[in-house]
PDB file of all heavy atoms in Angstrom:
ATOM      1  N   TRP A  96     -48.878 -88.037  38.559  1.00  0.00           N
ATOM      2  CA  TRP A  96     -49.899 -87.579  37.627  1.00  0.00           C
ATOM      3  C   TRP A  96     -49.549 -88.042  36.220  1.00  0.00           C
ATOM      4  O   TRP A  96     -48.392 -87.982  35.814  1.00  0.00           O
ATOM      5  CB  TRP A  96     -50.000 -86.054  37.652  1.00  0.00           C
ATOM      6  CG  TRP A  96     -50.630 -85.544  38.906  1.00  0.00           C
ATOM      7  CD1 TRP A  96     -49.981 -85.130  40.035  1.00  0.00           C
ATOM      8  CD2 TRP A  96     -52.013 -85.416  39.179  1.00  0.00           C
ATOM      9  NE1 TRP A  96     -50.877 -84.749  40.990  1.00  0.00           N
ATOM     10  CE2 TRP A  96     -52.141 -84.906  40.492  1.00  0.00           C
ATOM     11  CE3 TRP A  96     -53.172 -85.683  38.448  1.00  0.00           C
ATOM     12  CZ2 TRP A  96     -53.373 -84.652  41.082  1.00  0.00           C
ATOM     13  CZ3 TRP A  96     -54.403 -85.428  39.037  1.00  0.00           C
ATOM     14  CH2 TRP A  96     -54.503 -84.924  40.333  1.00  0.00           C
ATOM     15  N   GLU A  97     -50.561 -88.509  35.488  1.00  0.00           N
ATOM     16  CA  GLU A  97     -50.399 -88.896  34.084  1.00  0.00           C
ATOM     17  C   GLU A  97     -51.577 -88.377  33.292  1.00  0.00           C
ATOM     18  O   GLU A  97     -52.671 -88.215  33.818  1.00  0.00           O
ATOM     19  CB  GLU A  97     -50.337 -90.425  33.933  1.00  0.00           C
ATOM     20  CG  GLU A  97     -49.040 -91.038  34.380  1.00  0.00           C
ATOM     21  CD  GLU A  97     -48.952 -92.523  34.016  1.00  0.00           C
ATOM     22  OE1 GLU A  97     -49.758 -93.005  33.190  1.00  0.00           O
ATOM     23  OE2 GLU A  97     -48.078 -93.194  34.581  1.00  0.00           O
ATOM     24  N   GLU A  98     -51.323 -88.174  32.010  1.00  0.00           N
ATOM     25  CA  GLU A  98     -52.407 -87.765  31.120  1.00  0.00           C
ATOM     26  C   GLU A  98     -53.422 -88.893  31.001  1.00  0.00           C
ATOM     27  O   GLU A  98     -53.060 -90.052  30.827  1.00  0.00           O
ATOM     28  CB  GLU A  98     -51.867 -87.428  29.727  1.00  0.00           C
ATOM     29  CG  GLU A  98     -51.046 -86.160  29.672  1.00  0.00           C
ATOM     30  CD  GLU A  98     -51.844 -84.908  29.954  1.00  0.00           C
ATOM     31  OE1 GLU A  98     -53.048 -84.855  29.601  1.00  0.00           O
ATOM     32  OE2 GLU A  98     -51.268 -83.982  30.541  1.00  0.00           O
ATOM     33  N   GLY A  99     -54.676 -88.543  31.113  1.00  0.00           N
ATOM     34  CA  GLY A  99     -55.751 -89.512  30.942  1.00  0.00           C
ATOM     35  C   GLY A  99     -56.511 -89.211  29.673  1.00  0.00           C
ATOM     36  O   GLY A  99     -56.034 -88.498  28.791  1.00  0.00           O
ATOM     37  N   GLY A 100     -57.705 -89.717  29.566  1.00  0.00           N
ATOM     38  CA  GLY A 100     -58.542 -89.464  28.398  1.00  0.00           C
ATOM     39  C   GLY A 100     -58.994 -88.018  28.339  1.00  0.00           C
ATOM     40  O   GLY A 100     -59.117 -87.351  29.364  1.00  0.00           O
ATOM     41  N   ALA A 101     -59.209 -87.525  27.167  1.00  0.00           N
ATOM     42  CA  ALA A 101     -59.714 -86.169  26.917  1.00  0.00           C
ATOM     43  C   ALA A 101     -58.824 -85.086  27.529  1.00  0.00           C
ATOM     44  O   ALA A 101     -59.301 -84.043  27.943  1.00  0.00           O
ATOM     45  CB  ALA A 101     -61.153 -86.033  27.432  1.00  0.00           C
ATOM     46  N   GLY A 102     -57.519 -85.349  27.585  1.00  0.00           N
ATOM     47  CA  GLY A 102     -56.580 -84.352  28.064  1.00  0.00           C
ATOM     48  C   GLY A 102     -56.604 -84.120  29.561  1.00  0.00           C
ATOM     49  O   GLY A 102     -55.965 -83.199  30.056  1.00  0.00           O
ATOM     50  N   ARG A 103     -57.348 -84.918  30.287  1.00  0.00           N
ATOM     51  CA  ARG A 103     -57.413 -84.781  31.742  1.00  0.00           C
ATOM     52  C   ARG A 103     -56.272 -85.558  32.392  1.00  0.00           C
ATOM     53  O   ARG A 103     -55.896 -86.627  31.931  1.00  0.00           O
ATOM     54  CB  ARG A 103     -58.743 -85.317  32.265  1.00  0.00           C
ATOM     55  CG  ARG A 103     -59.936 -84.509  31.782  1.00  0.00           C
ATOM     56  CD  ARG A 103     -61.238 -85.071  32.290  1.00  0.00           C
ATOM     57  NE  ARG A 103     -61.226 -85.162  33.749  1.00  0.00           N
ATOM     58  CZ  ARG A 103     -62.117 -85.841  34.451  1.00  0.00           C
ATOM     59  NH1 ARG A 103     -63.082 -86.493  33.846  1.00  0.00           N
ATOM     60  NH2 ARG A 103     -62.052 -85.881  35.751  1.00  0.00           N
ATOM     61  N   LYS A 104     -55.750 -84.993  33.455  1.00  0.00           N
ATOM     62  CA  LYS A 104     -54.703 -85.695  34.193  1.00  0.00           C
ATOM     63  C   LYS A 104     -55.339 -86.591  35.246  1.00  0.00           C
ATOM     64  O   LYS A 104     -56.367 -86.251  35.822  1.00  0.00           O
ATOM     65  CB  LYS A 104     -53.753 -84.707  34.851  1.00  0.00           C
ATOM     66  CG  LYS A 104     -52.858 -84.012  33.861  1.00  0.00           C
ATOM     67  CD  LYS A 104     -51.751 -83.295  34.577  1.00  0.00           C
ATOM     68  CE  LYS A 104     -50.751 -82.807  33.542  1.00  0.00           C
ATOM     69  NZ  LYS A 104     -49.484 -82.475  34.130  1.00  0.00           N
ATOM     70  N   ARG A 105     -54.693 -87.731  35.469  1.00  0.00           N
ATOM     71  CA  ARG A 105     -55.155 -88.670  36.488  1.00  0.00           C
ATOM     72  C   ARG A 105     -54.050 -88.894  37.498  1.00  0.00           C
ATOM     73  O   ARG A 105     -52.887 -89.012  37.135  1.00  0.00           O
ATOM     74  CB  ARG A 105     -55.519 -90.018  35.861  1.00  0.00           C
ATOM     75  CG  ARG A 105     -56.748 -89.981  35.005  1.00  0.00           C
ATOM     76  CD  ARG A 105     -57.020 -91.349  34.436  1.00  0.00           C
ATOM     77  NE  ARG A 105     -58.286 -91.365  33.725  1.00  0.00           N
ATOM     78  CZ  ARG A 105     -58.621 -92.258  32.825  1.00  0.00           C
ATOM     79  NH1 ARG A 105     -57.783 -93.230  32.494  1.00  0.00           N
ATOM     80  NH2 ARG A 105     -59.793 -92.208  32.236  1.00  0.00           N
ATOM     81  N   LYS A 106     -54.444 -88.965  38.764  1.00  0.00           N
ATOM     82  CA  LYS A 106     -53.478 -89.277  39.811  1.00  0.00           C
ATOM     83  C   LYS A 106     -53.434 -90.791  39.972  1.00  0.00           C
ATOM     84  O   LYS A 106     -54.427 -91.427  40.308  1.00  0.00           O
ATOM     85  CB  LYS A 106     -53.881 -88.631  41.141  1.00  0.00           C
ATOM     86  CG  LYS A 106     -52.826 -88.829  42.229  1.00  0.00           C
ATOM     87  CD  LYS A 106     -53.285 -88.356  43.587  1.00  0.00           C
ATOM     88  CE  LYS A 106     -53.211 -86.862  43.690  1.00  0.00           C
ATOM     89  NZ  LYS A 106     -53.443 -86.415  45.097  1.00  0.00           N
ATOM     90  N   TYR A 107     -52.266 -91.349  39.699  1.00  0.00           N
ATOM     91  CA  TYR A 107     -52.062 -92.795  39.839  1.00  0.00           C
ATOM     92  C   TYR A 107     -51.431 -93.100  41.189  1.00  0.00           C
ATOM     93  O   TYR A 107     -50.565 -92.360  41.660  1.00  0.00           O
ATOM     94  CB  TYR A 107     -51.167 -93.326  38.716  1.00  0.00           C
ATOM     95  CG  TYR A 107     -51.927 -93.602  37.446  1.00  0.00           C
ATOM     96  CD1 TYR A 107     -52.250 -92.573  36.579  1.00  0.00           C
ATOM     97  CD2 TYR A 107     -52.339 -94.891  37.133  1.00  0.00           C
ATOM     98  CE1 TYR A 107     -52.965 -92.829  35.410  1.00  0.00           C
ATOM     99  CE2 TYR A 107     -53.049 -95.159  35.979  1.00  0.00           C
ATOM    100  CZ  TYR A 107     -53.355 -94.115  35.124  1.00  0.00           C
ATOM    101  OH  TYR A 107     -54.070 -94.372  33.985  1.00  0.00           O
ATOM    102  N   TYR A 108     -51.873 -94.195  41.764  1.00  0.00           N
ATOM    103  CA  TYR A 108     -51.356 -94.663  43.050  1.00  0.00           C
ATOM    104  C   TYR A 108     -50.538 -95.915  42.817  1.00  0.00           C
ATOM    105  O   TYR A 108     -50.923 -96.787  42.042  1.00  0.00           O
ATOM    106  CB  TYR A 108     -52.503 -94.970  44.021  1.00  0.00           C
ATOM    107  CG  TYR A 108     -53.277 -93.735  44.384  1.00  0.00           C
ATOM    108  CD1 TYR A 108     -54.307 -93.267  43.575  1.00  0.00           C
ATOM    109  CD2 TYR A 108     -52.963 -93.005  45.529  1.00  0.00           C
ATOM    110  CE1 TYR A 108     -55.010 -92.115  43.897  1.00  0.00           C
ATOM    111  CE2 TYR A 108     -53.666 -91.857  45.861  1.00  0.00           C
ATOM    112  CZ  TYR A 108     -54.685 -91.422  45.043  1.00  0.00           C
ATOM    113  OH  TYR A 108     -55.372 -90.286  45.361  1.00  0.00           O
ATOM    114  N   SER A 109     -49.415 -96.008  43.509  1.00  0.00           N
ATOM    115  CA  SER A 109     -48.593 -97.213  43.445  1.00  0.00           C
ATOM    116  C   SER A 109     -48.134 -97.558  44.855  1.00  0.00           C
ATOM    117  O   SER A 109     -47.998 -96.692  45.724  1.00  0.00           O
ATOM    118  CB  SER A 109     -47.401 -97.021  42.509  1.00  0.00           C
ATOM    119  OG  SER A 109     -46.615 -95.931  42.910  1.00  0.00           O
TER     120      SER A 109
END
Side-chain angles (χ1 to χ4, degrees):
W96 288 94
E97 286 189 15
E98 290 294 327
R103 295 179 56 193
K104 288 193 171 198
R105 291 180 174 160
K106 185 187 283 190
Y107 277 80
Y108 295 85
S109 57

